[in-house]
Amino acid sequence: MIAKEKLTKIVGAGDVIVDQAVLDGYAKDISFVNSVKPACVVKPKDAAEVQKIIKLANETLTPLVPVSSGPPHFRGDTVPGIGGAIIVDMSGMNKIINVDRARRVAMVEPGVTFGELIPAAAKEGIRLNLPLLPRKTKTVIGSLLEREPVVMPKYQWDISDPLACVEVIFGSGDEFKTGQAAGPGTVAEQWKVGGVQKAPYGPGVASWHRLIQGAQGTMGIVTWASMRCELMPALEEPFVVGSANLGTLVEMASWLVRLRIANECFILNNTNLAAIFAKKWPKDYEKLKNSLPAWTLFYVLAGYEFFPEERVGAYVKEITQMTQRLGVEALKAVGGVSANEIMKAVQQPCAEPYWKLRYKGASQDVFYLTINDKLEGQIAAMNEAAEKAGYATSDMGVYIQPIVQGTGVHCEFNLFYDPANAGEAGRVKDLYAAAVKGLMAKGAFFSRPYGENTGLIMNRDAASIAVLNKLKKMFDPNRVMNPGKVGF
């Protein structure tokens, strides 16, 4: 355990927190992982302080848990896996380092939230490829490192996009830069000659950023990251297509992405759409939910600097042929929700209260990657598991996000429940465990395992675990970084 005096010497007395109320806030989250109270919270102000903290942790074998986003947390990765841990709160490192329209790239420190970066990027005429309605306290780097799906699959060329380069202090205490940022020269020297930190691959033939993404802080602490951005459109036209047939909407979304027609493009069921857009609870929620079709596809057509009207008009003509063939209709509103309202909402962080907490106060998410052909069978399996667990399927939100140019799909079930109702929470906990096992049997790929199901997921691939353990030994030899997560 690192002595408080040594931490104070690094970051200052005001940034070493042992207040019990603060520690209680880090001891648990909305997930079902066991509660473990940390020993203290430390708030570094720069990479040099982070490096000193990690070196001290190695000397004293003290576990460190990096956290950048503010509460509420949902996945258990920020709750210490063992006692005596120190929370490394990165929220104080919140500089927007660079926004470059010409190269469509931005660079930020780990404490920068979406609410801070979106207007800074818009000022320069570019925008971020966002996850679906991130909470206001969510940091950009937190989302990038968790590999959260983005709502514009047209601009996603790789599952790691839009993450570009990172600076990381590994668990060994060594500083490392990935991709173009690795050199030649320092980042400042690269800037002087017009260089930019946008290509993620390297140094060498390895893609080191993949080792850090999805690692839940078990490899090191990221002190800045750069990301790909996109130009702000000159004209945007949003549409919705409602249907009782999910297969029809999945096929339409697939064509919209494969033909590179739509920008934002995703599907929600009526539970989730009502949870996001209901104005008053519970009356408006039930009324809106009942007025919506079972499934709604949302997409945005965009034109840019040159001939924006002509471009959007050509897209509309092409999509009309598509909808006629599929027997559906593209509209400007569905139920009581307009396409324009959805577009404005999904281009910003979620308004308060966070949409996943509105319905019942808590949500356990089950998410994985799959392909279109398996999607409906997996949803049927999830419904069956819910019925067996005594959970009403009508209470279950579903979010379907095409990814990486339409080559796959992120499927997410949102199990809303009342955390004050022990019976309901217990049913959701049991359903979560049963669902992961059943969905894996149906071909679901859990690329981001969290919480108690991590072992079940990771143990299916012994060869990958062996490789990951070798890498862990290289980059975090004393296993001080977030022990107990991702199977480490």
Side-chain angles (χ1 to χ4, degrees), residues 90-397:
M90 304 296 287
S91 61
M93 292 177 63
N94 56 359
K95 292 176 192 161
I96 298 173
I97 299 168
N98 188 25
V99 177
D100 185 336
R101 184 184 188 277
R103 283 75 175 271
R104 304 184 198 178
V105 66
M107 178 187 285
V108 298
E109 289 187 336
V112 174
T113 64
F114 283 106
E116 293 166 335
L117 184 55
I118 288 171
K123 192 176 175 184
E124 299 298 323
I126 57 177
R127 62 174 176 163
L128 312 179
N129 198 351
L130 294 169
L132 178 68
L133 290 163
R135 65 182 192 271
K136 280 195 169 179
T137 55
K138 186 74 181 183
T139 61
V140 179
I141 286 184
S143 176
L144 292 171
L145 293 179
E146 288 179 53
R147 226 170 30 227
E148 291 186 329
V150 288
V151 296
M152 295 194 290
K154 170 182 173 180
Y155 296 112
Q156 192 184 28
W157 296 95
D158 182 279
I159 195 67
S160 64
D161 279 345
L163 179 67
C165 305
V166 306
E167 179 183 78
V168 58
I169 312 296
F170 279 124
S172 60
D174 297 316
E175 178 203 311
F176 190 79
K177 295 182 181 65
T178 66
Q180 231 170 338
T186 64
V187 169
E189 288 168 343
Q190 291 175 9
W191 286 342
K192 279 184 183 175
V193 295
V196 64
Q197 295 73 46
K198 189 170 183 181
Y201 311 110
V205 296
S207 298
W208 297 105
H209 65 296
R210 299 188 196 280
L211 176 68
I212 301 157
Q213 255 190 330
Q216 299 176 29
T218 58
M219 290 293 174
I221 299 178
V222 170
T223 52
W224 58 253
S226 57
M227 69 218 70
R228 300 167 190 263
C229 299
E230 305 303 332
L231 292 177
M232 294 285 283
L235 174 67
E236 292 181 290
E237 284 288 344
F239 294 91
V240 285
V241 181
S243 177
N245 187 336
L246 175 61
T248 301
L249 298 189
V250 169
E251 182 179 351
M252 183 168 175
S254 175
W255 281 110
L256 290 174
V257 177
R258 288 168 63 189
L259 295 174
R260 297 182 54 72
I261 293 176
N263 276 0
E264 289 89 346
C265 181
F266 56 83
I267 297 169
L268 296 173
N269 74 345
N270 58 343
T271 300
N272 267 352
L273 201 54
I276 293 168
F277 289 101
K279 303 291 189 299
K280 294 179 182 176
W281 294 87
K283 189 178 176 182
D284 280 3
Y285 168 74
E286 292 295 341
K287 186 179 174 185
L288 177 57
K289 184 178 169 183
N290 292 334
S291 71
L292 292 167
W295 302 96
T296 298
L297 164 65
F298 169 77
Y299 63 89
V300 177
L301 308 180
Y304 293 85
E305 184 176 357
F306 300 105
F307 307 108
E309 291 86 2
E310 288 83 352
R311 179 170 176 165
V312 170
Y315 285 158
V316 169
K317 191 178 291 185
E318 191 164 351
I319 290 171
T320 300
Q321 295 175 357
M322 192 186 301
T323 53
Q324 287 174 346
R325 177 172 58 81
L326 292 170
V328 292
E329 187 177 9
L331 302 169
K332 299 302 284 184
V334 62
V337 184
S338 74
N340 200 48
E341 186 181 2
I342 299 175
M343 182 178 73
K344 285 183 178 176
V346 301
Q347 292 180 350
Q348 297 293 328
C350 183
E352 293 293 344
Y354 183 50
W355 71 273
K356 291 184 180 179
L357 304 181
R358 283 177 185 164
Y359 182 22
K360 291 193 171 184
S363 173
Q364 175 63 53
D365 301 338
V366 182
F367 50 83
Y368 58 89
L369 302 182
T370 188
I371 57 175
N372 288 348
D373 291 349
K374 294 183 177 179
L375 189 56
E376 288 193 83
Q378 291 161 350
I379 291 174
M382 185 67 189
N383 285 336
E384 187 179 338
E387 287 169 2
K388 279 185 182 175
Y391 183 89
T393 55
S394 59
D395 281 349
M396 184 166 65

